[in-house]
Amino acid sequence: MEIHEHIIELPKKVYVGNGILSKLRDYLFQLSVSEPVLVVTGPNVRKIVIDEIAKGLNELGKMEFVEVMDSSVDEVNRVEEKAKELNPRFVLGIGGGKTIDVAKYVAYKLNVNFISIPTAPSHDGITSSFASIKGLGKPVSVKAKMPYAIIADINVLSSAPRRLINAGIGDTIGKLVAVRDWKLASKLTGEYYGDYTASLALLSAKHALSCTKIIHRDLKYSVSLLTEALISSGVAMGMAGSTRPASGSEHLFAHAVDLLQPNAALHGELVGIGSIIMAYIHGINWREIRNALDRIGAPTTAKQLGIPNDVVIKALTIAHTIRPERYTILGDRGLTWSSAEKVARDTGVIE
Ligand SMILES: [Zn+2]
């Protein structure tokens, strides 16, 4: 008899609140974190945050800090070397999305517990078991360590640059499309579709839409909503065992642009624009998405990002090849140049 197994990975504990980093020592104690500890930080983590964390860590015993500059495979290798010398029992990732990605991936390679302490709510990688690493030969996320715990201090997250917060909103709004793609694939290819998981991802997107309406009035509340949305998106991926509920054609477009013009924009910005276009193709309310992004000052056109029209069109024509096993509205053959140009124009993404 064939056994079907479905493994759900979830964080053991999630701490969310204002100013909670000052309680880090208590949390680490509750989580039975023991030395040696490798702390991975990024270049933009403010000193005040590092000081707070160092205070919380100083009774732990043996630990080392390593700062990463980007989420490249070279940085992964460098951190991995350092980790092998220290032989840590825990890896703490403290920083933005890229820092967390490197920490999480190294923890996965060494099979060490990983704790995520994000300082920017820029994408749902801060809460998921997948990482985006440049130079591995594929533009999509790879399996990494599910965070053993997430410690999300809203004071810290809401003082991140607004552009990063907006990117997190864009990444999360993308779930509206991702879930559509997933449902479509299940109908056409018989792929497993988890209703509960899909609802969770959709709920994240709805919260992100709400964020766009309140962020100018109440930044902190909006960021706390966004953070919870990012967490439930990470949980949805853990439940599905893949990024499927959180990543569809809108992400394929984002990855394609990134491939054609690396570092032109933030991941969540490209996902936001991809969501406008793919919502249009799905025949759902793409204007609502565009207006929501507009409202918060997130980019809705290629021009705003300095991306030429032909890069957008080319990206749309190759998006379906990025991850061929992931069926989306783009189908097996993708868009022709002229249809890609038309959808990009109709949605105002290109002029
Ligand atoms: Zn994403």
Side-chain angles (χ1 to χ4, degrees):
M1 194 182 77
E2 205 185 334
I3 300 171
H4 290 280
E5 65 169 8
H6 186 89
I7 301 170
I8 293 177
E9 273 191 318
L10 298 172
K12 182 179 162 74
K13 256 193 178 132
V14 178
Y15 301 89
V16 188
N18 288 318
I20 62 169
L21 269 189
S22 62
K23 295 184 72 184
L24 184 64
R25 202 170 55 184
D26 298 346
Y27 299 156
L28 297 179
F29 182 74
Q30 286 169 18
L31 294 164
S32 307
V33 171
S34 55
E35 63 166 343
V37 174
L38 180 67
V39 183
V40 182
T41 66
N44 301 319
V45 181
R46 282 163 305 137
K47 190 165 176 309
I48 184 165
V49 175
I50 296 282
D51 287 349
E52 190 77 70
I53 284 163
K55 235 190 320 172
L57 289 173
N58 66 11
E59 282 162 32
L60 270 182
K62 197 172 176 194
M63 69 170 164
E64 272 188 51
F65 280 76
V66 57
E67 187 179 309
V68 298
M69 301 311 291
D70 55 45
S71 56
S72 66
V73 73
D74 290 344
E75 286 295 77
V76 166
N77 292 338
R78 193 167 65 81
V79 175
E80 193 178 350
E81 282 312 306
K82 184 121 187 174
K84 280 180 180 157
E85 284 164 28
L86 183 67
N87 202 12
R89 298 190 61 182
F90 281 81
V91 173
L92 266 57
I94 301 165
K98 287 176 181 164
T99 305
I100 302 279
D101 274 349
V102 170
K104 181 167 49 167
Y105 190 56
V106 169
Y108 175 72
K109 287 180 88 176
L110 301 176
N111 197 20
V112 176
N113 284 314
F114 165 66
I115 296 179
S116 177
I117 309 180
T119 57
S122 54
H123 61 67
D124 57 17
I126 60 177
T127 58
S128 78
S129 58
F130 296 88
S132 171
I133 305 293
K134 303 254 185 240
L136 282 178
K138 44 183 171 179
V140 300
S141 307
V142 291
K143 183 80 185 77
K145 193 81 179 172
M146 174 54 95
Y148 178 72
I150 300 162
I151 302 171
D153 188 327
I154 301 302
N155 281 353
V156 172
L157 291 164
S158 56
S159 53
R162 184 57 190 273
R163 192 177 166 199
L164 295 177
I165 297 171
N166 285 353
I169 292 174
D171 191 36
T172 311
I173 286 177
K175 300 348 168 198
L176 291 172
V177 172
V179 168
R180 287 272 168 164
D181 282 322
W182 191 14
K183 199 164 202 171
L184 179 72
S186 84
K187 282 184 183 151
L188 294 179
T189 71
E191 181 184 328
Y192 160 82
Y193 175 80
D195 234 323
Y196 185 89
T197 311
S199 310
L200 199 56
L202 268 187
L203 193 62
S204 292
K206 284 179 186 151
H207 278 292
L209 284 175
S210 310
C211 283
T212 66
K213 292 178 186 149
I214 52 177
I215 196 162
H216 43 273
R217 276 190 278 123
D218 194 341
L219 176 69
K220 264 196 190 164
Y221 177 61
S222 180
V223 168
S224 75
L225 264 186
L226 173 62
T227 303
E228 286 176 354
L230 293 171
I231 291 166
S232 61
S233 175
V235 166
M237 288 187 257
M239 290 181 70
S242 78
T243 57
R244 192 42 137 154
S247 167
S249 51
E250 78 299 332
H251 268 72
L252 296 179
F253 168 77
H255 295 317
V257 172
D258 224 11
L259 210 59
L260 296 169
Q261 193 171 327
N263 306 317
L266 298 173
H267 169 74
E269 292 174 334
L270 294 174
V271 170
I273 289 182
S275 302
I276 298 172
I277 297 174
M278 300 307 166
Y280 173 90
I281 300 175
H282 268 289
I284 57 177
N285 194 348
W286 61 275
R287 285 193 178 85
E288 183 188 19
I289 296 175
R290 189 187 60 183
N291 294 343
L293 294 171
D294 243 353
R295 202 178 297 132
I296 56 171
T300 56
T301 68
K303 199 173 173 187
Q304 286 167 311
L305 293 172
I307 298 172
N309 286 2
D310 58 345
V311 169
V312 170
I313 300 167
K314 173 92 183 169
L316 286 169
T317 64
I318 64 166
H320 68 292
T321 65
I322 299 281
R323 190 173 213 157
E325 77 287 1
R326 181 156 296 178
Y327 193 86
T328 70
I329 190 77
L330 298 170
D332 294 323
R333 296 176 60 190
L335 300 182
T336 61
W337 187 274
S338 59
S339 56
E341 187 171 1
K342 183 175 186 310
V343 296
R345 278 191 206 289
D346 285 354
T347 51
V349 169
I350 63 171
E351 283 172 4

